[in-house]
Amino acid sequence: MANFVSIFRIFIMFYAAYLIYACEGNTIAYIWALVLTIIAFALDGVDGFLARLLKEESKFGALLDIMGDRIVENTYWILFAVMGWINILFPLIAITRGFVTDTIRSAAMEQGLTPFGMQVNPVCKFITGSRFMRISYAVAKVVAFVLIVAAKIPACPHADVVWEIGYWAAVFAIVFCVVRGIPVVLEAKYLFKKAD
């Protein structure tokens, strides 16, 4: 059930992205895209909750969750850049960080470690794997993506203010993305020492 939710949220996000791209400037389509964006991000918390509740936690589920997060966030970064709403550096940074950290986490999985359980240093473990940091990062992305979409709805009141807050939330989310990736890179050396 939890894995189904992880996959289902990707399709919800794809439809939201389609509405934004194909129906540019259409108020109803953009309102639906906003609602679907909120639902897609809400389901990110639901899949983990269901996995714990139904005792379905697994390495595969953790990977599926990370994969879903990457697909959803990278789709929004790319979509916003294609629409000309943000600079191309946003998706380039997010995608590069994702490839680097996910490659290292794959090596950790080969050694029987979970994607967030590979950290050795307590500070690194907190930055990458703590519930607080994971939720904070998710909230930063949600605020950025929701406000950016909301600001582009033609009927949005105070669209310029909503846009400004959404843009700076996006900047914060990208910085957060990099900060959470640094400990994974720094501690990769422990993985390769174990492998030797």
Side-chain angles (χ1 to χ4, degrees), residues 2-195:
N3 292 345
F4 172 78
V5 171
S6 295
I7 294 167
F8 181 64
R9 68 185 282 256
I10 294 169
F11 289 100
I12 289 175
M13 175 277 310
F14 279 154
Y15 191 60
Y18 166 78
L19 290 172
I20 291 168
Y21 185 75
C23 305
E24 187 172 0
N26 181 305
T27 301
I28 300 300
Y30 272 35
I31 289 171
W32 271 110
L34 178 63
V35 169
L36 293 172
T37 298
I38 292 167
I39 291 170
F41 278 98
L43 289 176
D44 184 31
V46 171
D47 62 2
F49 172 77
L50 282 175
R52 288 184 295 278
L53 180 71
L54 302 173
K55 297 184 179 18
E56 294 179 352
E57 293 174 290
S58 66
K59 287 181 185 176
F60 176 74
L63 279 179
L64 195 59
D65 184 51
I66 290 170
M67 180 191 73
D69 289 347
R70 294 289 182 269
I71 292 170
V72 170
E73 70 183 88
N74 288 333
T75 299
Y76 279 105
W77 290 127
I78 292 166
L79 175 65
F80 293 165
V82 167
M83 299 296 290
W85 298 350
I86 60 171
N87 190 289
I88 191 67
L89 287 175
F90 285 81
L92 290 177
I93 291 168
I95 291 167
T96 300
R97 181 267 192 187
F99 278 132
V100 170
T101 58
D102 293 349
T103 300
I104 293 168
R105 286 177 172 150
S106 294
M109 296 274 304
E110 285 181 6
Q111 296 182 27
L113 301 169
T114 62
F116 294 113
M118 61 169 275
Q119 305 304 145
V120 176
N121 181 291
V123 174
C124 291
K125 192 173 284 220
F126 174 77
I127 292 170
T128 61
S130 71
R131 184 178 281 309
F132 172 77
M133 290 298 279
R134 286 168 40 199
I135 290 172
S136 298
Y137 179 47
V139 168
K141 290 184 292 186
V142 171
V143 169
F145 297 156
V146 166
L147 291 180
I148 286 172
V149 173
K152 295 299 180 176
I153 297 172
C156 178
H158 308 292
D160 53 339
V161 174
V162 174
W163 166 254
E164 196 70 25
I165 296 168
Y167 177 80
W168 286 106
V171 170
F172 180 75
I174 281 293
V175 170
F176 212 149
C177 170
V178 172
V179 167
R180 288 193 66 235
I182 290 171
V184 176
V185 173
L186 291 176
E187 294 209 319
K189 60 187 176 192
Y190 297 116
L191 293 173
F192 299 112
K193 280 181 185 174
K194 288 179 187 175

